Amino acid sequence: DQWEVPAIDVAGAARPMEPYYTIMRLPGAPEPEFIQMLPFTPRRKDNLAAWMVARSDGDHYGRLLVFQFPKQKVVFGPRQIVARINQDQVISPQITLWNQQGSEVIQGTLLVIPIEESLLYVRPLYLRAAGGKIPELKRVIVAYQNQIAMENSLEEAIAKIYSALDEIIIEG
């Protein structure tokens, strides 16, 4: 299979995702470690095929690992998640409102965080005032499965996602 680095919309233009550093416990590893991570999609498709890490700690420094998703399971890719965020009935109007009167909304790096057998997507939103040089963290967006939440902090967004999932489980 051919893979490619997913492109996501940044300031109205599609740009390849950049790898990012994080600390996480890799599947099967006993301890968290410092890694550089990048997701991959099948060539010319938007769903997620795999993610690759470059290990950056101790004896594992420089080693690459690839974690593939089963081909029979469709996993939302970064471009699909960004599109869902930008089309959300709560998030989209708020971004439009903040982008007026000289203020600028800056959508931060989209983080793809593997958790057990699923993925959590996190994207910070920053607001820079007209003439200002330093953006302020305004909201954090979290997407998990079919749920999206935008809240003041990561903790609040995750809590909202999980309370929505609890409601689905209870009602379903």
Side-chain angles (χ1 to χ4, degrees):
D1 293 338
Q2 293 183 347
W3 295 341
E4 61 188 10
V5 174
I8 58 172
D9 292 333
V10 177
R15 296 197 177 128
M17 281 187 76
E18 297 284 332
Y20 54 90
Y21 288 98
T22 188
I23 296 174
M24 68 177 284
R25 188 180 60 77
L26 296 172
E31 297 291 324
E33 60 184 282
F34 186 59
I35 62 165
Q36 187 177 34
M37 182 177 167
L38 183 63
F40 286 89
T41 57
R43 188 166 184 215
R44 296 190 189 119
K45 295 190 177 175
D46 290 332
N47 60 296
L48 207 59
W51 49 283
M52 179 185 292
V53 299
R55 299 174 89 175
S56 301
D57 277 347
D59 295 337
H60 303 294
Y61 183 80
R63 291 196 180 150
L64 300 177
L65 292 175
V66 174
F67 298 91
Q68 288 182 269
F69 293 99
K71 290 181 185 180
Q72 64 274 17
K73 184 179 178 186
V74 176
V75 178
F76 288 130
R79 177 174 267 186
Q80 293 167 317
I81 293 296
V82 168
R84 291 182 64 223
I85 289 169
N86 291 335
Q87 295 169 2
D88 186 85
Q89 295 175 354
V90 173
I91 298 170
S92 181
Q94 188 62 58
I95 289 173
T96 301
L97 181 65
W98 285 333
N99 258 331
Q100 295 177 6
Q101 300 175 357
S103 294
E104 176 189 12
V105 173
I106 301 167
Q107 295 190 27
T109 301
L110 179 69
L111 303 175
V112 183
I113 303 169
I115 299 176
E116 299 300 326
E117 299 294 318
S118 59
L119 295 171
L120 184 72
Y121 286 89
V122 177
R123 189 167 210 185
L125 286 183
Y126 301 94
L127 188 60
R128 181 170 33 211
K133 295 188 188 259
I134 300 174
E136 172 189 351
L137 178 64
K138 196 67 175 171
R139 296 285 188 276
V140 177
I141 300 170
V142 172
Y144 178 77
Q145 296 177 352
N146 289 323
Q147 304 296 317
I148 296 177
M150 180 176 72
E151 296 296 328
N152 291 321
S153 69
L154 177 60
E155 293 82 8
E156 290 175 17
I158 289 173
K160 187 170 183 178
I161 289 285
Y162 282 111
S163 68
L165 288 174
D166 285 342
E167 288 175 20
I168 291 170
I169 292 168
I170 291 168
E171 292 173 6

